[in-house]
Amino acid sequence: MGALELARGVARDTGTLLAGNVCNTNVYTGDASRDTVRAMFEEQVGWAVDAGVDFVIGETFSYAQEALIALDVVKQAKQVAVITLAMHKADVTREDWSVADACTRLADAGADVVGLNCIRGPATMMPLLRE
């Protein structure tokens, strides 16, 4: 039994929502990898849609532009999109966008929810969340 099928059964049995998920690909390097990354997201989001998810979470993106690709794929599939970024040691994305700028760009591109992933602890995340 596949993970999405199992999760769908639990969600339906308990009256809860079913989320699909995509995350950073570790192959995104910029424009040269855009088509490869998009194809990966299209395949994964397709599985989620086929499983009947209620929404899709895109998470742990350190490149906001990769998050934007994932968001576009999720919205093209007519799904609710929750997109979270992962700030590593720096307080900016790998493109040097501030958290506020990256989240604004994601929201403007159609994300239903934007935020940060828990890659860092509360003491280092709270100042970023305030932005």
Side-chain angles (χ1 to χ4, degrees):
M1 174 180 283
L4 282 168
E5 185 179 338
L6 178 63
R8 180 181 60 227
V10 171
R12 299 310 177 245
D13 289 349
T14 60
T16 55
L17 296 174
L18 174 62
N21 180 273
V22 296
C23 68
N24 62 301
T25 62
N26 290 324
V27 298
Y28 181 81
T29 57
D31 287 337
S33 60
R34 187 172 302 277
D35 292 341
T36 299
V37 166
R38 183 176 189 85
M40 293 168 74
F41 291 145
E42 287 173 345
E43 181 178 20
Q44 294 168 10
V45 171
W47 296 334
V49 169
D50 290 347
V53 300
D54 297 297
F55 62 100
V56 176
I57 300 169
E59 64 174 331
T60 62
F61 295 106
S62 55
Y63 284 101
Q65 291 178 2
E66 183 179 30
L68 285 164
I69 297 167
L71 170 61
D72 186 56
V73 170
V74 171
K75 295 314 277 186
Q76 289 293 318
K78 301 189 182 343
Q79 296 293 306
V80 171
V82 176
I83 306 293
T84 64
L85 302 168
M87 300 295 110
H88 292 276
K89 290 182 181 179
D91 291 346
V92 294
T93 66
R94 299 228 189 248
E95 303 93 344
D96 290 324
W97 298 356
S98 72
V99 170
D101 183 35
C103 286
T104 297
R105 290 180 193 217
L106 287 162
D108 289 349
D112 298 284
V113 178
V114 297
L116 297 178
N117 188 273
C118 58
I119 197 165
R120 293 164 45 167
T124 55
M125 284 187 64
M126 289 309 293
L128 298 175
L129 289 171
R130 284 186 192 96
E131 288 185 46

